[in-house]
Each structure stands twice: as C-alpha cells, then as structure tokens.
Amino acid sequence: MISQRLALIATALGVALLPATFAMPRDAGASVADVTGNVTLVEGNSARAKDASQVVVWLVPAGAADASANRLLPRAHYRMLQHDKTFEPKLLVVPLGGVVDFPNLDPWFHNVFSLYQGKRFDLGLYQAGAVKAVTFDRPGPSFLFCNIHPHMTAVILTVNSDLFGVSNRAGHVVIPHVPEGQYSVHVWYENAASESTDPLQRGMVVGPGENLLPPISVSVARHDASHKDKYGQDYDPKASSPAY
C-alpha cells in the first residue's frame, strides 16, 4: 500500500513539473525546438522575489487563440492527490479537455470542490481509496478546496494549448518540442498583482537556432487566502482534529 501511494505521488509530481505527456497531431516532418526563458517576480519597490516558481507560460499558434478555446484537446489524464490532508501538487496545469483524477489516499473523508472561478464542481463526500474525476473544459484557473479541511488548497490551470511550461525557483521556464511557427505567449501567476496577466502577452516566432521567450516580469501582490466552505459558512473549528 505504501509503495502504491509513493508511486502515485511521484506520478502526480511528475505531471506537475513537466508539460503534458501528449501532443496534438502534427506533421511528422515539421521541425520542432525547445523554447526557453526566464520570468521575474517583482515585489513592492522593484525588489526581485527570491522564489520565482509556479509561473505558467504557454504558447498558442498565431490566429488560433479563439478557435483553440472553443475545441477540446485530446483527453489526457492527470492526477490531483489528496494525501496527508493536502493536495498534491499545489499547482497542476492541464490542456483544455484534460481529465483530472482525484484519488483520496488519506484514511479520512474528503470533499473536493471549486465553486468560484474556472471549472465549477463539487465531488461530494468520498472515502479513503476512492477516486473521482473531472473534465476541465473551461479555460482559466480553478481554485480547489476541501469542504472538511480548510487548509487544503490548490489550483488547476486549464490552458488552450498543449505547449506550456512552469517556472522553477530561479524563474527558468522550458517549453519543449514546439513546432516552428508564430505564437502568442501567455502568462499566469496566482499571486499576480492583477487578476489578469493578459497585458503580459507577447508574440514570438519559433524557428531554427535558439528560441528565447520575450522578457516576462510579473508584479506580485498579497492576496487574502481565507475562504468559506461550499455552503458559504465558516469551517468547523474541529476540522483540524486528527479524528478528521
């Protein structure tokens, strides 16, 4: 049982740190290249944040943004674990149409829900060992909570592309195997000063040689992380008890 849990956790972390494991059908003869770059998080008076991780950057073919948003990409499966009363990973990026499995690896009941933005759903109460799934068919961030454990939070970001990367602590981003062509560059960060990072969109051309993302700088703000349960009520203060 322990080895199974560890395997599931490793799988989930791999999904979180790497781009999607599938790709849209493409011309077998088309040239592809890795796109790399760096993002900067700016706090307060132009001070650079020491940790620039969890910034999502994705590429959409030029002129295809609207069309991509209205059609589903192939349904790959991803995992958002419930383990030790936490979600693992804290940030999961999935292409539009991706299916996310929610296995409960705890000996406690959980009730995963997202009712505020993005894909709205409520998985209801389910027990240890059970798995439920949700198809993410709406672009944007879905903020996840558990109706029993108030400290459980995570984000699933649905993007209209299978070409994306997530920055590491140093702010480095890699988007592998990008076909040559012209793209719009999109950026999202949970703690961005503005709710929308649309002004950060840029254009770029991917071709032979080194392909660098345009400069990306995101202003950071502190957001109120408090939230209510799915009924709009305060959480039961006993939720932190080991019995739960």
Side-chain angles (χ1 to χ4, degrees):
M1 178 64 71
I2 294 177
S3 61
Q4 286 182 325
R5 290 188 177 185
L6 291 176
L8 287 172
I9 294 170
T11 300
L13 292 177
V15 169
L17 297 175
L18 298 175
T21 55
F22 74 96
M24 292 290 290
R26 298 182 179 123
D27 183 353
S31 297
V32 297
D34 291 349
V35 173
T36 62
N38 290 281
V39 301
T40 302
L41 297 182
V42 181
E43 297 178 322
N45 299 323
S46 300
R48 288 193 175 190
K50 294 182 179 179
D51 184 352
S53 62
Q54 305 293 283
V55 180
V56 182
V57 182
W58 68 100
L59 304 178
V60 177
D66 293 338
S68 297
N70 291 325
R71 66 177 173 79
L72 300 183
L73 296 171
R75 293 191 174 187
H77 271 258
Y78 300 82
R79 284 180 180 267
M80 175 64 77
L81 307 185
Q82 298 150 80
H83 179 67
D84 289 340
K85 296 183 182 178
T86 63
F87 287 115
E88 298 178 15
K90 292 293 187 183
L91 170 64
L92 179 63
V93 185
V94 302
L96 193 67
V99 178
V100 177
D101 296 321
F102 291 87
N104 181 2
L105 302 185
D106 279 333
W108 304 281
F109 282 88
H110 286 300
N111 181 175
V112 183
F113 72 95
S114 178
L115 302 178
Y116 303 102
Q117 244 179 296
K119 176 70 175 184
R120 299 187 177 191
F121 63 92
D122 178 1
L123 297 184
L125 200 65
Y126 63 108
Q127 63 187 0
V131 181
K132 295 194 176 185
V134 176
T135 299
F136 283 77
D137 50 8
R138 179 174 178 176
S142 300
F143 296 93
L144 310 185
F145 305 100
C146 175
N147 200 52
I148 303 173
H149 308 103
H151 57 279
M152 290 181 63
T153 63
V155 182
I156 294 179
L157 179 66
T158 308
V159 298
N160 57 341
S161 174
D162 62 341
L163 302 170
F164 56 83
V166 181
S167 66
N168 62 15
R169 185 178 178 84
H172 187 58
V173 180
V174 178
I175 305 176
H177 310 306
V178 179
E180 293 184 358
Q182 188 171 356
Y183 294 88
S184 59
V185 181
H186 299 252
V187 181
W188 182 88
Y189 181 60
E190 182 178 2
N191 292 317
S194 170
E195 290 186 3
S196 171
T197 52
D198 285 345
L200 299 175
Q201 291 182 22
R202 302 285 189 275
M204 73 172 296
V205 176
V206 176
E210 188 176 24
N211 290 275
L212 297 177
L213 291 167
I216 298 172
S217 179
V218 181
S219 296
V220 178
R222 300 279 183 180
H223 296 296
D224 183 6
S226 63
H227 63 280
K228 303 289 188 179
D229 67 14
K230 68 180 184 180
Y231 302 110
Q233 305 297 319
D234 291 331
Y235 278 81
D236 181 349
K238 295 187 295 182
S240 58
S241 168
Y244 281 70

